[in-house]
Amino acid sequence: MRFKQKVSPTLTLPTKASQQGFTLIEIIVGIVVLSIAFSIFTTLIYPLANQSAKQVHQIKAAELGQSMINEIIAKAFDENSDKSGGIYRCGESGATACSSTLADEESGARERFDDVDDYNNLSIMESSLGGDDSLNDIYVGYQINVKVINDSDYDGDHDDEDDISTAKLITVTITTPQDFDFVFAVYRANF
């Protein structure tokens, strides 16, 4: 009987040709391609992010402008007007003449402003919006500028001929942190 010799599988080491992987040059080329792709992606996304922030600033500016206009409109027309909504208006017969001064008669204390004229040339940074610190946190970087002029002919310009007892144009300019100006204007008539 012949014995057949069993051949055991031999352990063979892989040859260099059968090994697979990336060379250093291939890795460097891959990194360069990825960095170019990310830079293109970033230049496309950044303007969109900037535009979305612009919309948020517009909304905040509208809120801030409207609240400032509401605050001003709630005040009396003039220093010599009846503050309690009396029968006579300043400048009418039998009443005190309207003040020709468009300035703060309350010496800068905004909480003491009692008429529209007091707000003329008011400039507020976000740090002085009010007593509530949460307002300052919401409106970081915003600035408010207020201008009040006599404008009896409703043309938007202050003329020397304007009757000081008819109407005042209140212009509120809100400047956002991105340096965009939003202008809100309203007339306050003497009534």
Side-chain angles (χ1 to χ4, degrees):
M1 207 172 177
R2 278 174 100 185
F3 290 102
K4 210 172 188 188
Q5 188 178 8
K6 274 187 168 180
V7 178
S8 65
T10 57
L11 185 63
T12 58
L13 293 173
T15 62
K16 202 172 193 179
S18 66
Q19 288 181 351
Q20 294 185 356
F22 296 106
T23 64
L24 182 60
I25 293 175
E26 291 171 332
I27 292 173
I28 292 174
V29 168
I31 291 172
V32 168
V33 168
L34 279 174
S35 64
I36 291 172
F38 283 138
S39 67
I40 291 172
F41 182 69
T42 307
T43 56
L44 293 175
I45 294 297
Y46 179 73
L48 296 176
N50 194 17
Q51 287 176 354
S52 68
K54 183 179 176 182
Q55 292 169 352
V56 170
H57 289 302
Q58 288 174 348
I59 292 168
K60 285 184 176 183
E63 291 172 344
L64 196 54
Q66 185 63 49
S67 79
M68 184 54 111
I69 284 176
N70 288 343
E71 177 183 332
I72 297 170
I73 290 295
K75 305 297 181 182
F77 177 78
D78 191 76
E79 187 67 29
N80 296 329
S81 294
D82 189 1
K83 309 297 188 260
S84 62
I87 298 172
Y88 297 106
R89 301 177 293 188
C90 72
E92 286 187 334
S93 61
T96 310
C98 291
S99 172
S100 60
T101 305
L102 292 173
D104 170 23
E105 298 93 7
E106 296 4 294
S107 66
R110 183 172 154 213
E111 59 275 354
R112 296 182 59 212
F113 286 179
D114 60 354
D115 64 285
V116 172
D117 301 341
D118 294 340
Y119 288 90
N120 190 30
N121 294 323
L122 178 68
S123 183
I124 302 173
M125 295 297 290
E126 83 282 344
S127 61
S128 58
L129 286 175
D132 188 4
D133 286 338
S134 64
L135 276 180
N136 297 330
D137 294 339
I138 294 171
Y139 296 106
V140 173
Y142 286 81
Q143 183 173 357
I144 303 171
N145 292 306
V146 181
K147 184 79 174 155
V148 179
I149 62 170
N150 289 316
D151 189 14
S152 62
D153 54 4
Y154 298 96
D155 64 353
D157 293 330
H158 172 67
D159 300 323
D160 289 333
E161 304 88 41
D162 277 337
D163 178 13
I164 63 173
S165 65
T166 305
K168 294 180 181 173
L169 174 62
I170 304 161
T171 306
V172 176
T173 304
I174 308 294
T175 305
T176 66
Q178 293 178 329
D179 288 328
F180 291 112
D181 288 337
F182 294 94
V183 180
F184 304 91
V186 65
Y187 281 94
R188 174 70 159 90
N190 187 10
F191 61 88

